[in-house]
Amino acid sequence: MANALQAIRGMNDVLPEQSPAWQFLEDTLREVMESYGFAEIRMPIVEKTELFKRSIGEVTDIVEKEMYTFEDRNGDSLTLRPEGTAGCVRACVQHGLLHNQVQRLWYTGPMFRHERPQKGRYRQFFQIGVEVFGFEGPDIDAELLIMTARMWKSLGLSGLSLQLNSLGTSAARASFRDDLVAYLGQHIEQLDDDSRRRLQTNPLRILDSKNPQVQAVLDAAPALSDYIDEDSRQHFNSLCALLDAAGVAYQVNPRLVRGLDYYGRTVFEWVSDQLGAQGTVCAGGRYDALVEYLGGRATPAVGFAIGMERLLALLETQGVSLPDTSPHLYIVVMGEAAQQQGLLLAERLRDALPALRLITHCGGGSFKAQFRKADRCGARYALILGDEEVQKREVGLKPLREERDQQKIPFDQLEARIAGLFGW
Ligand code: ATP
Ligand code: MG
């Protein structure tokens, strides 16, 4: 193995045994989103570097140090998308999807960030993202949060907590930023290198610091909530009232800020305490200024992104049981005539029973070897076809998961009998 090719560090294969969990996650979330009238959009994985620099912001972690940026053969600077919002807004503006209409959109796919790989933090990771355009009121913010709460419930997850904050308008943040910088400037010796650097570039991100010493300095810092403008405050209060009425619990976290520059007003995170340091499984908020900033008509917008790997880890930690995806039947065939008949019967069964998962044995081998394969793949029953069965136009049915005698089923009763076995 030493010389064999390996995947890139921080980029994972999803192996066949892991796929059922991914599919359960994707299917469940898609069903929830569809039930709220969301439509899927698929964007390219690569965009012009400029798009991310402009939308995410030059002084964010993502743009400063996490992007996979390269020159293509034309000398254009391209970047593997680190998140989906920028591309989604670009696509909506480009195709006129925001003219006199609202949009409720979702997408899924891989995102790329050059971070230090660790549990819950990868260089290629998957998100399901949601973006809603054209609503400025708190009702849509509330609906998005109610929808996420339904997602966790549909997945069978518990214990996730919702953190909520308002960032106000950019004017409010600007005056807060000035006072924060002035205050932190007086305590510069207690800040770590990261925070000192951010003091120059993106001081609001210091609020996010996990360093206890920095946290202690922040305890006496000016509070963003004192700077929030009246409209934003009302927006936030209405959102809280809507969540209260809907029975969605939340904590107001005055230090919650987002890593991306384009957020304003509502910001939120869904956090689990069962995932260690990487506990945020869903993050989002309002970005009313971005569409215009990227060249579209001013359009209010709000969205969120779910980190799929983290949600999967949580499903595993909480022992959520997945739908059974093992085959129902495995057809064992012995001899040329049986082989041919097996393929034909399998097609007949698939025509009649759309939910059926059925494997036809290929590649020959003894009955014993074939039964071993039937057993290993997890099938509930084996159907047995040899020369004698073909001649009598019947198949043997052998339960593989319980002690019961083999039965014979005439070819012409096959569909009905198999349907009966599974209660279809
Ligand atoms: P963090 O603070 O964990 O770095 P972030 O603020 O960079 O998160 P967002 O850009 O808001 O994260 O992305 C939304 C969600 O995508 C996160 O809450 C997380 O669940 C997931 N996510 C972000 N970066 C990664 C990563 N490198 N690996 C796996 N999941 C990630
Ligand atoms: Mg990050």
Side-chain angles (χ1 to χ4, degrees):
M1 279 300 281
N3 292 324
L5 288 171
Q6 303 273 313
I8 295 164
R9 201 162 95 86
M11 303 206 182
N12 303 311
D13 299 305
V14 175
L15 300 178
E17 65 182 36
Q18 301 166 314
S19 295
W22 280 86
Q23 287 167 354
F24 169 65
L25 185 55
E26 291 161 355
D27 292 350
T28 306
L29 297 188
R30 191 181 56 244
E31 279 166 24
V32 172
M33 293 184 292
E34 283 172 353
S35 79
Y36 284 76
F38 282 75
E40 186 183 4
I41 182 168
R42 303 188 187 195
M43 297 86 65
I45 288 173
V46 182
E47 300 269 1
K48 290 180 185 155
T49 303
E50 185 60 22
L51 173 68
F52 299 117
K53 282 197 178 164
R54 270 172 63 187
S55 66
I56 298 170
E58 298 263 4
V59 294
T60 53
D61 284 352
I62 292 182
V63 171
E64 277 183 340
K65 44 187 193 193
E66 295 175 359
M67 293 206 303
Y68 280 88
T69 296
F70 60 97
E71 256 187 27
D72 76 355
R73 289 173 189 276
N74 301 328
D76 296 328
S77 180
L78 305 183
T79 294
L80 298 183
R81 63 183 184 195
E83 52 93 52
T85 303
C88 184
V89 171
R90 196 262 317 130
C92 285
V93 171
Q94 181 177 338
H95 300 288
L97 301 189
L98 307 179
H99 289 168
N100 305 316
Q101 52 190 320
V102 299
Q103 294 288 350
R104 286 179 167 87
L105 303 175
W106 71 274
Y107 52 81
T108 187
M111 308 295 161
F112 302 85
R113 299 184 194 177
H114 195 273
E115 305 195 65
R116 190 169 68 77
Q118 54 197 291
K119 181 173 183 278
R121 195 174 289 288
Y122 309 102
R123 289 180 174 172
Q124 175 181 279
F125 59 98
F126 284 75
Q127 287 184 337
I128 282 188
V130 158
E131 317 290 351
V132 177
F133 299 97
F135 302 92
E136 60 185 346
D139 47 355
I140 190 72
D141 303 19
E143 189 183 58
L144 285 189
L145 290 168
I146 292 167
M147 182 170 83
T148 46
R150 181 179 291 277
M151 286 172 161
W152 318 144
K153 196 173 131 204
S154 304
L155 290 168
L157 291 173
S158 57
L160 283 160
S161 66
L162 173 59
Q163 311 250 311
L164 203 57
N165 194 20
S166 176
L167 300 179
T169 58
S170 68
R173 283 197 304 285
S175 76
F176 168 66
R177 187 183 302 124
D178 291 345
D179 290 359
L180 181 69
V181 169
Y183 167 83
L184 291 174
Q186 291 161 7
H187 298 83
I188 196 131
E189 67 290 347
Q190 283 148 276
L191 298 183
D192 54 20
D193 288 347
D194 223 28
S195 301
R196 278 181 206 173
R197 193 173 49 80
R198 285 184 169 145
L199 199 54
Q200 311 299 324
T201 57
N202 194 353
L204 258 57
R205 279 311 301 274
I206 300 174
L207 300 181
D208 233 6
S209 170
K210 306 284 184 289
N211 182 333
Q213 204 186 330
V214 175
Q215 284 284 339
V217 178
L218 289 170
D219 283 340
L224 175 56
S225 52
D226 294 334
Y227 293 74
I228 299 300
D229 53 290
E230 189 49 35
D231 283 353
S232 297
R233 196 185 307 280
Q234 265 181 33
H235 184 106
F236 191 66
N237 291 342
S238 306
L239 170 59
C240 291
L242 288 167
L243 292 176
D244 291 337
V248 175
Y250 56 88
Q251 290 147 10
V252 177
N253 175 356
R255 294 214 185 135
L256 182 66
V257 290
R258 304 286 317 124
L260 315 182
D261 258 5
Y262 48 67
Y263 285 98
R265 290 201 169 161
T266 312
V267 289
F268 57 85
E269 288 190 1
W270 283 95
V271 186
S272 165
D273 58 10
Q274 294 179 305
L275 294 174
Q278 270 61 248
T280 304
V281 298
C282 171
R286 252 187 193 274
Y287 52 97
D288 294 335
L290 184 65
V291 177
E292 188 175 25
Y293 188 63
L294 289 180
R297 217 176 280 176
T299 307
V302 54
F304 63 78
I306 293 172
M308 302 285 274
E309 287 82 358
R310 293 185 193 178
L311 214 48
L312 277 169
L314 200 58
L315 286 172
E316 200 175 308
T317 305
Q318 298 192 0
V320 170
S321 57
L322 301 173
D324 186 9
T325 53
S326 52
H328 298 98
L329 300 179
Y330 192 101
I331 305 192
V332 163
V333 289
M334 184 58 73
E336 240 168 73
Q339 206 169 53
Q340 191 187 60
Q341 192 59 251
L343 288 169
L344 299 182
L345 289 176
E347 289 313 302
R348 255 179 54 185
L349 284 168
R350 291 189 183 102
D351 283 342
L353 308 169
L356 182 69
R357 293 183 297 273
L358 162 60
I359 295 178
T360 309
H361 182 82
C362 290
S366 67
F367 267 130
K368 198 173 159 209
Q370 294 193 33
F371 274 115
R372 199 160 47 231
K373 289 208 168 108
D375 191 46
R376 280 214 193 119
C377 77
R380 298 259 300 276
Y381 297 89
L383 288 184
I384 304 152
L385 264 180
D387 286 337
E388 195 189 318
E389 282 84 2
V390 172
Q391 208 161 33
K392 293 189 179 156
R393 300 192 60 75
E394 61 184 25
V395 295
L397 173 81
K398 183 176 154 66
L400 296 172
R401 309 289 144 201
E402 57 200 316
E403 288 300 330
R404 260 202 289 141
D405 287 344
Q406 199 168 308
Q407 304 170 40
K408 301 278 180 208
I409 305 178
F411 281 2
D412 57 9
Q413 291 173 24
L414 198 53
E415 288 91 337
R417 293 281 297 276
I418 299 297
L421 279 180
F422 297 100
W424 291 334

